[in-house]
Amino acid sequence: MKSLDEYLADAAQAHGHLCAGQVLGVRMAMLGVQKLGIDDPRGKDRKRLVTFVEIDRCATDAIAVVTGCRLGKRALKFKDWGKMAATFVDIANTRSVRVAARESSKALARGMHPEIEDKNQQQMLAYREMRDDDLFDVQWVNVELPPEEMPGYKGERIVCARCGEGINFRREVQRAGETLCRACAGERYWEPV
Ligand SMILES: [Zn+2]
Ligand SMILES: [Zn+2]
């Protein structure tokens, strides 16, 4: 694994700036990967890891940088829960660890560096210095990962009976004898204009 500073440099480049979220995300991912005993998540261990992120903020980009898990590789799973937490799944050993940022870390950052007025600067520095135990809660968990959720899953491509668009990865829905995409089954997030 690289050092915190090396990952932060990579994260700043990928994300476009360095911020408190990058520090938090890099440290969260480094801790998760270390707990799983994975040394080289972007190299020799790159097919061992799936990461669930629970928020779509700055930290998420940093987590992707450290783990190498990306949406397009199906190794990054997004749960839109608005929580600063991620679960790291070791596919090889079927064990998983969830790392959540402690809500108290913001107040602790204020206490550590009251001399820094800018909150982002204050947290950036404090999140570098803080002990893992002060920054995160860590929990061993079990994650069910069915075959169609695995990064390398290859399945039949289905065509929606209504719109005719193709559907991968068993995302089709059976509704009154029809095979439908999620949009046609009523989960549409858009309306035609
Ligand atoms: Zn940011
Ligand atoms: Zn459809």
Side-chain angles (χ1 to χ4, degrees):
M1 285 195 74
K2 295 187 184 183
S3 69
L4 175 62
D5 283 335
E6 286 171 318
Y7 278 131
L8 285 176
D10 291 352
Q13 200 182 20
H15 180 65
H17 62 246
L18 194 60
C19 58
Q22 298 301 296
V23 182
L24 207 56
V26 165
R27 286 202 55 189
M28 185 181 280
M30 286 179 76
L31 184 61
V33 164
Q34 275 162 10
K35 290 277 177 198
L36 292 173
I38 292 177
D39 317 312
D40 191 7
R42 277 159 54 173
K44 69 173 170 62
D45 295 323
R46 71 186 181 284
K47 295 201 169 157
R48 250 178 88 179
L49 195 63
V50 166
T51 303
F52 286 78
V53 290
E54 299 181 13
I55 199 164
D56 51 353
R57 288 215 59 204
C58 296
T60 307
D61 283 347
I63 290 168
V65 164
V66 174
T67 60
C69 293
R70 290 175 193 286
L71 204 58
K73 289 188 194 163
R74 309 192 70 237
L76 188 73
K77 313 284 189 190
F78 174 48
K79 299 285 175 195
D80 195 0
W81 289 3
K83 298 181 80 176
M84 192 58 90
T87 298
F88 304 89
V89 181
D90 180 355
I91 300 172
N93 293 316
T94 48
R95 57 179 194 160
S96 311
V97 66
R98 182 172 180 270
V99 183
R102 303 189 69 169
E103 207 50 33
S104 55
S105 62
K106 285 195 177 91
L108 191 57
R110 267 198 305 278
M112 284 168 78
H113 290 291
E115 77 286 2
I116 306 175
E117 267 179 47
D118 180 86
K119 226 177 215 153
N120 185 50
Q121 295 295 329
Q122 181 187 68
Q123 289 171 1
M124 250 168 65
L125 183 60
Y127 292 166
R128 273 170 180 262
E129 298 169 343
M130 230 175 261
R131 294 166 48 236
D132 282 337
D133 291 352
D134 288 327
L135 203 45
F136 300 116
D137 285 318
V138 176
Q139 188 183 13
W140 288 98
V141 295
N142 186 37
V143 177
E144 283 298 328
L145 219 51
E148 67 268 24
E149 298 304 326
M150 298 295 261
Y153 177 77
K154 285 193 180 62
E156 208 185 336
R157 190 165 158 90
I158 306 288
V159 171
C160 174
R162 287 213 194 140
C163 69
E165 292 180 359
I167 311 155
N168 276 15
F169 310 125
R170 292 201 193 157
R171 271 24 178 200
E172 70 275 12
V173 179
Q174 301 297 332
R175 205 45 67 76
E178 278 186 312
T179 302
L180 302 178
C181 73
R182 292 191 176 226
C184 293
E187 292 179 38
R188 203 158 64 183
Y189 66 89
W190 49 269
E191 286 301 326
V193 289

